[in-house]
Amino acid sequence: MAIQPRITGGRRQGPLPLPLKRALLAAIAVAAALSILCLLSFTDTLSFTETLSFLGFQPRDVDKRDSNRRYLYWGSRVDCPGKHCGSCAGLGHQESSLRCALEEALFLDRILVMPSRMCLSSVHNTKGILHSSNATSEQRWETGSCAMESLYDIDLISRTVPVILDNPRSWYEIISRSTKLGEEGLVHVQGVSRAELKENSNYSGALLINRTASPLAWFMECKDRTKRSSVMLPYTFLPTMASSKLRDAANKIKEILGEYDAIHVRRGDLLKNRKDRFGVERSLHPHLDRDTRPEFIKKRIAKWIRPGRTLYIASNERTPGFFSSLSDRYQISYSSNFSSILDPIIENNYQLFMVERLIMQGAKTFVKTMKEFDNDLALCDDPKKNTKDWQVPVYTDD
């Protein structure tokens, strides 16, 4: 259930015209109430708490939605409102945006109303994505996205940051209370710092803050954090919040692997070259293609991983047997070696990568493609951040 923003600037906007707002909220409340009354006619022997559970409200959620709980809403899709409403970025970028929204909810001591579905980028995932030109936008969204609960353990996230999903069951409680509160129930904001949202009573007193984030991407709201101490949630937070079935799969694979090392070899989407006006090939990561080939990987990791070790390789390289030459030094394992564990539960590449991240986190020695932090071990010394500096690719030893 999306809330349509009415934003024109950085100040609190006026409410919807009163008759229209009351009619809209009343219609939603009446429809929901009638649905509940119909259900109650079949459940008149249940207690109030049992009835709420029957309707989808778990006791944990009911306890948290008391008169002191307030809500934060960033949009019905990650990075939407924004430039990604018609498309979407990869899992990493969407997680950065989600983490930014979660941090703000934590800072404001509010419950985050999280999108109930995650967009699947066609660049990183083609499985299950609908390409038919006759499909409606809703059909494309349903088949080009996955349930948030299929990726993350919402209850586990809520132990740190209280979260509900923006499905009708979650929204009924909020809409009902908004109706009672009238104009103070909902406030639309854009361009307002989280500090002001917390300190200014015009915002802090509202039941629901409808936050329109940066039109570029949600995570841009957190881009001004220059001090590590201001980062409330670490990069590893969402990767460790994988759904229970994904965590179980990763644990089974780690148990089979025993003690192992791992490398993440990202090639595919990053190996994009373009020609300059003189026809010369150029790349944003001039050493990446070379450094992620088996012969160079072997030389690079020799100082970190000794011969004979079990080496798990996670990669988006699609060429069959691409890493086979590494098997003369290491005992190679891929996700394909564990199809009996993964095939029954994996529906898209996002789920697969979340399992592989957990596997890589459990490795004795883990080598990334490129460094994210100074102490990281990496195959390539090119900066991961997009520098927009297109250089001639290098394929020989420097």
Side-chain angles (χ1 to χ4, degrees):
M1 177 179 174
I3 296 179
Q4 299 300 322
R6 299 176 60 254
I7 312 294
T8 57
R11 303 181 64 183
R12 175 176 175 173
Q13 301 303 299
L16 287 166
L18 195 55
L20 176 60
K21 180 176 180 181
R22 283 178 176 169
L24 177 61
L25 293 176
I28 294 172
V30 168
L34 286 175
S35 299
I36 289 180
L37 287 174
C38 290
L39 284 168
L40 286 174
S41 66
F42 293 98
T43 59
D44 54 2
T45 60
L46 299 178
S47 69
F48 178 71
T49 302
E50 289 172 330
T51 301
L52 287 176
S53 296
F54 181 81
L55 293 170
F57 292 106
Q58 298 303 315
R60 176 186 63 79
D61 298 324
V62 174
D63 291 340
K64 287 188 175 181
R65 286 198 285 262
D66 56 31
S67 60
N68 295 321
R69 301 305 294 179
R70 301 184 185 281
Y71 300 84
L72 175 67
Y73 180 72
W74 276 45
S76 61
R77 305 180 188 182
V78 177
D79 291 336
C80 181
K83 72 172 185 178
H84 290 299
C85 285
S87 61
C88 61
L91 177 63
H93 281 87
Q94 291 190 74
E95 283 191 334
S96 293
S97 290
L98 263 183
R99 194 168 66 252
C100 187
L102 286 164
E103 281 196 7
E104 182 161 286
L106 185 63
F107 180 80
L108 298 176
D109 191 25
R110 286 177 173 264
I111 297 173
L112 177 68
V113 184
M114 182 185 288
S116 57
R117 299 188 69 83
M118 169 79 83
C119 181
L120 300 172
S121 171
S122 59
V123 174
H124 302 279
N125 188 351
T126 57
K127 184 177 181 181
I129 293 181
L130 188 66
H131 295 286
S132 171
S133 58
N134 296 324
T136 65
S137 60
E138 287 302 314
Q139 286 176 319
R140 287 195 179 94
W141 171 242
E142 286 299 316
T143 57
S145 64
C146 65
M148 197 68 76
E149 290 172 298
S150 72
L151 298 174
Y152 303 105
D153 186 329
I154 303 302
D155 288 332
L156 190 58
I157 291 175
S158 293
R159 294 178 187 177
T160 303
V161 186
V163 167
I164 61 171
L165 297 176
D166 66 345
N167 53 47
R169 293 176 303 181
S170 301
W171 276 107
Y172 171 73
E173 168 76 9
I174 303 173
I175 293 298
S176 297
R177 288 175 56 195
S178 295
T179 304
K180 295 176 182 178
L181 291 173
E183 296 181 8
E184 297 302 317
L186 171 65
V187 58
H188 301 277
V189 298
Q190 182 183 26
V192 180
S193 70
R194 61 178 58 172
E196 186 175 355
L197 290 178
K198 187 172 186 176
E199 297 168 3
N200 190 325
S201 60
N202 288 331
Y203 307 121
S204 61
L207 171 68
L208 174 63
I209 292 178
N210 180 29
R211 154 77 101 170
T212 299
S214 168
L216 298 176
W218 289 1
F219 66 80
M220 296 298 291
E221 295 291 334
C222 297
K223 290 290 284 185
D224 60 348
R225 301 174 304 178
T226 56
K227 297 180 180 179
R228 290 288 179 191
S229 59
S230 66
V231 179
M232 302 176 71
L233 296 174
Y235 168 81
T236 56
F237 177 73
L238 282 173
T240 58
M241 297 291 114
S243 67
S244 59
K245 70 175 183 179
L246 300 183
R247 296 199 310 272
D248 290 344
N251 288 335
K252 290 177 182 178
I253 293 173
K254 288 191 287 186
E255 186 176 351
I256 294 172
L257 288 170
E259 186 177 279
Y260 63 96
D261 304 302
I263 58 174
H264 180 214
V265 190
R266 187 176 175 184
R267 287 177 54 81
D269 60 310
L270 290 183
L271 299 182
K272 290 183 179 180
N273 294 353
R274 73 179 186 187
K275 292 183 179 181
D276 61 18
R277 60 194 180 95
F278 302 108
V280 178
E281 289 279 347
R282 293 185 176 274
S283 172
L284 289 172
H285 307 286
H287 301 92
L288 181 64
D289 191 6
R290 179 199 69 181
D291 292 346
T292 53
R293 291 180 178 273
E295 58 272 25
F296 283 90
I297 291 176
K298 192 181 297 184
K299 290 189 290 185
R300 179 79 165 188
I301 69 175
K303 54 189 173 183
W304 302 317
I305 304 174
R306 68 176 187 271
R309 293 278 296 171
T310 297
L311 181 65
Y312 184 88
I313 301 176
S315 178
N316 61 352
E317 174 58 52
R318 297 182 179 181
T319 305
F322 186 81
F323 300 105
S324 296
S325 62
L326 289 172
S327 61
D328 65 355
R329 182 171 294 183
Y330 303 105
Q331 300 180 47
I332 305 299
S333 287
Y334 312 94
S335 62
S336 57
N337 297 128
F338 306 98
S339 56
S340 62
I341 297 174
L342 297 173
D343 286 354
I345 66 167
I346 298 300
E347 300 173 348
N348 54 68
N349 285 348
Y350 284 9
Q351 290 178 318
L352 175 60
F353 185 57
M354 291 187 73
V355 171
E356 291 199 301
R357 283 194 305 199
L358 294 172
I359 295 171
M360 290 185 285
Q361 287 175 0
K364 182 178 180 181
T365 301
F366 172 41
V367 184
K368 300 180 179 181
T369 304
M370 291 178 283
K371 286 188 175 184
E372 293 175 279
F373 303 100
D374 292 339
N375 294 330
D376 288 344
L377 302 179
L379 299 173
C380 182
D381 291 326
D382 289 346
K384 182 178 181 180
K385 186 177 180 180
N386 188 347
T387 60
K388 298 183 179 181
D389 183 14
W390 292 85
Q391 302 177 45
V392 177
V394 177
Y395 294 99
T396 58
D397 287 321
D398 291 339

